[in-house]
Amino acid sequence: PPVMQWFDRQKKAGGRLIVSDPRRTNTARAADLHLQATPGSDLALANGLLYLAIEEALIDHAYIADRTNGFDAARRKALAYHPAVVERRTGVAEADLRKTVRWLASAKSAMILSGRGPEQQSKGVDTSQAFINLALALGLPGRPNSGWGTLTGQGNGQGGREHGQKADQLPGYRLIEVDAHREAVARVWGVDPASLPRKGLSAFEMLDSAGRPGGVRTMFVTGSNVAVASPDAGRVDQRLRSLDHLTVCDAFLNETAALASVVLPVLQWAEEEGTMTNLEGRVIHRRRVARPPVGVRGDLEILRALADRLGCGPKFAFDDARGVFDELRRATAGGAADYSGITYERIDRDRGVFWPCPGEGHPGTPRLFVDRFAHPDGRARFLAVEDRPAGEEPDDDYPFFFTTGRYKEHYNSGAQTRMLGPLVQARPRPLVLIHPTAARRHQLVNGSRVLLESRRGRIECQVEVTADVRPDTLFCPFHWGGEQAANRLTNPALDPTSRMPEFKLAAVRIAAVEAVEGDPS
């Protein structure tokens, strides 16, 4: 929701907003053009837009020649995506496809932004690359107020990536499998590079290994309600129950904490100090604005105490968040996301500093890719990508696409927002959205209760009949747990590169109906 103020400002200034979403969301209602694409068809959509950019001579030939490699291969692949084929695959009319690419190409500045929709698929990396190909072909990256980016759902979602919070990364966007990267960070940490682990399991793979032979036996979960937020949530629930020991650190009791051996209460975001990094790469200062209850510890204090007990306390001897940040500065020096020249004083003075900032005399980098891209030759890379079936698509047994998303009133697994009276009153329960055509076929009306099934689980929900979804698609928010957990239905099929599960696409059926009186129209 906070970003909508910028979209509203853009429209008042004469700009245009195009939204691609299988559901007519509030964001889509605000758009000048809504592309109501079939779930899982984003890659075909992006390749189809590149086809039209080529056909209508809208691509930036000088930019492609001067600043990129690999366009010919991407062009040849895209030319298989004739608008008639793309219209059939995506459900988006050819006229709207043409309007989209013309608006993007003719604007003084244009930005292509994605949320989780294109990414949380078993082909999410290739889908993202297809949109990057389109942005490069139009010459957007490096131009003022233009380019491609991903909107994060968490306040420090961007910063977490740069700090090395993934199983294949080290601080500064360094990779844990690259020897030079391992050596650079090991020097800062004062350890042997060989002591660093190799690439680990992805989040779902780690959860799915829990309690199995050779898998995880003890788990430490901090600030994540994985029992609700994971795909195939019923299976994850079983795996968590099979652990020898589960510790949960959280400010709220939630469905994951209910399964824990030990729950450690921790500070909330407003009760501690630190930094956050937004989509722009702007590092900002998060100040403490509230006093915590007596006896509640912060994450840093808990990790330091655990390190003491595990015999590596000196490596974690930080007194406060600023000490951690100073180490981060050293560990990212020379990396793609270089924080080494960013200090708390500069952040406060300049209202944030943009990485990369390789020295305290460096001004920071408010706009990436002005002169070069992050490859040895400084040129961006097109990569030819091709659409393929999702991990699971509708068939005779499971005829509906099922996709998930958010209510604006609730946040992620709802651990916080489902405790707030006004938000609960506004959205007390999840509703499954169904198109009037499908509702009539199943004799459903507003308020009917349905049992939805996928190949992994089932949930019970009340129905909202609305033309905001496609006739072939059911939508349900994922903020609730238990018998209403939408992620009981979702598919843990993983992208082969990112290992991201396919949250946004599953095949389901309506297994049972409890009707109420009313009018399905």
Side-chain angles (χ1 to χ4, degrees):
V3 81
M4 284 304 297
Q5 62 185 306
W6 302 106
F7 294 155
D8 293 340
R9 187 180 301 181
Q10 172 209 23
K11 291 192 67 176
K12 288 178 181 177
R16 294 186 175 116
L17 175 63
I18 305 166
V19 172
S20 175
D21 199 302
R23 178 169 60 113
R24 191 166 181 256
T25 61
N26 286 340
T27 312
R29 294 180 203 280
D32 299 279
L33 181 62
H34 176 206
L35 311 179
Q36 197 165 19
T38 305
S41 66
D42 306 274
L43 201 162
L45 174 68
N47 275 356
L49 293 174
L50 180 55
Y51 175 105
L52 290 173
I54 296 168
E55 181 195 74
E56 298 200 7
L58 298 174
I59 62 174
D60 189 331
H61 289 283
Y63 180 98
I64 292 169
D66 293 342
R67 303 209 58 196
T68 73
N69 291 321
F71 176 66
D72 284 344
R75 178 187 60 82
R76 288 193 297 271
K77 191 67 71 175
L79 290 179
Y81 291 80
H82 187 277
V85 174
V86 175
E87 179 174 331
R88 187 165 59 250
R89 172 73 178 92
T90 65
V92 177
E94 179 179 340
D96 287 341
L97 295 170
R98 291 187 182 277
K99 185 180 292 186
T100 297
V101 76
R102 288 168 184 169
W103 284 2
L104 287 172
S106 63
K108 182 179 179 181
S109 63
M111 182 73 74
I112 300 174
L113 298 172
S114 69
R116 302 293 76 78
E119 300 157 16
Q120 290 181 339
Q121 300 180 31
S122 59
K123 50 185 172 180
V125 169
D126 284 352
T127 299
S128 297
Q129 181 62 53
F131 281 108
I132 293 171
N133 287 346
L134 176 63
L136 290 172
L138 297 176
L140 302 182
R143 279 171 42 190
N145 306 307
S146 299
W148 174 87
T150 59
L151 293 169
T152 60
Q154 288 76 34
N156 198 34
Q158 184 72 30
R161 294 165 174 83
E162 297 150 13
H163 302 170
Q165 291 177 359
K166 288 180 60 192
D168 62 345
Q169 291 181 347
L170 291 166
Y173 280 136
R174 289 188 168 99
L175 299 177
I176 205 165
E177 291 292 342
V178 176
D179 287 341
H181 293 184
R182 295 165 61 86
E183 291 166 4
V185 175
R187 281 196 300 272
V188 174
W189 287 345
V191 299
D192 183 347
S195 70
L196 299 181
R198 291 287 172 176
K199 183 177 177 179
L201 296 174
S202 67
F204 179 79
E205 290 170 313
M206 182 167 60
L207 289 167
D208 195 41
S209 80
R212 300 184 190 274
V216 174
R217 303 300 309 181
T218 298
M219 189 171 288
F220 180 86
V221 175
T222 178
S224 182
N225 191 6
V226 293
V228 174
S230 303
D232 196 0
R235 176 168 151 195
V236 170
D237 181 273
Q238 293 175 2
R239 299 270 50 87
L240 293 173
R241 292 176 186 275
S242 70
L243 286 165
D244 295 339
H245 182 89
L246 172 62
T247 294
V248 170
C249 295
D250 212 301
F252 299 86
L253 290 174
N254 54 45
E255 287 81 359
T256 306
L259 303 175
S261 313
V262 176
V263 178
L264 303 178
V266 295
L267 303 179
Q268 295 188 64
W269 65 273
E271 297 170 342
E272 58 183 349
E273 185 184 51
T275 65
M276 301 171 69
T277 308
N278 67 9
L279 171 64
E280 302 173 292
R282 185 199 299 261
V283 183
I284 58 179
H285 188 180
R286 184 188 68 184
R287 294 172 176 83
R288 174 177 161 175
V289 297
R291 288 189 174 276
V294 175
V296 178
R297 301 184 181 190
D299 296 301
L300 175 57
E301 186 180 357
I302 289 172
L303 291 172
R304 189 173 59 203
L306 287 173
D308 285 340
R309 287 159 174 78
L310 291 169
C312 50
K315 299 295 184 187
F316 291 78
F318 300 106
D319 294 325
D320 52 28
R322 185 178 295 218
V324 178
F325 186 76
D326 285 340
E327 186 194 77
L328 177 69
R329 294 173 60 202
R330 297 193 300 274
T332 59
D338 191 329
Y339 278 49
S340 60
I342 303 176
T343 65
Y344 271 43
E345 290 75 19
R346 289 191 64 188
I347 294 172
D348 292 342
R349 184 184 70 237
D350 300 334
R351 300 183 65 187
V353 181
F354 295 85
W355 66 259
C357 183
E360 293 190 29
H362 190 280
T365 312
R367 180 152 46 97
L368 292 172
F369 315 132
V370 174
D371 301 312
R372 59 182 289 113
F373 292 91
H375 294 291
D377 61 2
R379 300 167 72 90
R381 296 178 183 175
F382 285 90
L383 294 177
V385 290
E386 188 170 11
D387 191 29
R388 60 181 184 270
E392 176 180 83
E393 296 193 346
D395 56 22
D396 291 342
D397 293 328
Y398 297 88
F400 285 101
F401 289 102
F402 178 76
T403 191
T404 68
R406 312 171 193 242
Y407 284 151
K408 68 178 181 180
E409 294 86 356
H410 289 291
Y411 180 71
N412 284 4
S413 72
Q416 301 171 45
T417 55
R418 284 188 279 120
M419 293 184 177
L420 295 172
L423 299 182
V424 172
Q425 186 175 6
R427 290 290 190 180
R429 65 186 66 85
L431 299 175
V432 57
L433 305 190
I434 184 169
H435 190 275
T437 301
R440 283 191 290 270
R441 188 166 66 246
H442 289 272
Q443 298 182 311
L444 295 172
V445 297
N446 285 324
S448 296
R449 295 196 65 82
V450 296
L451 180 67
L452 300 183
E453 286 185 345
S454 72
R455 291 177 174 85
R456 291 155 296 281
R458 56 175 55 186
I459 62 172
E460 294 183 8
C461 278
Q462 282 187 278
V463 164
E464 179 181 343
V465 181
T466 174
D468 286 347
V469 292
R470 297 166 47 92
D472 57 4
T473 301
L474 303 178
F475 167 86
C476 194
F478 56 73
H479 308 296
W480 282 264
E483 297 301 318
Q484 297 179 315
N487 277 324
R488 286 179 177 266
L489 306 183
T490 49
N491 189 1
L494 302 178
D495 182 282
T497 302
S498 70
R499 314 307 288 168
M500 173 69 77
E502 193 156 59
F503 285 103
K504 294 305 180 188
L505 174 60
V508 303
R509 63 189 175 197
I510 296 174
V513 174
E514 178 187 327
V516 298
E517 293 185 5
D519 180 2
S521 64

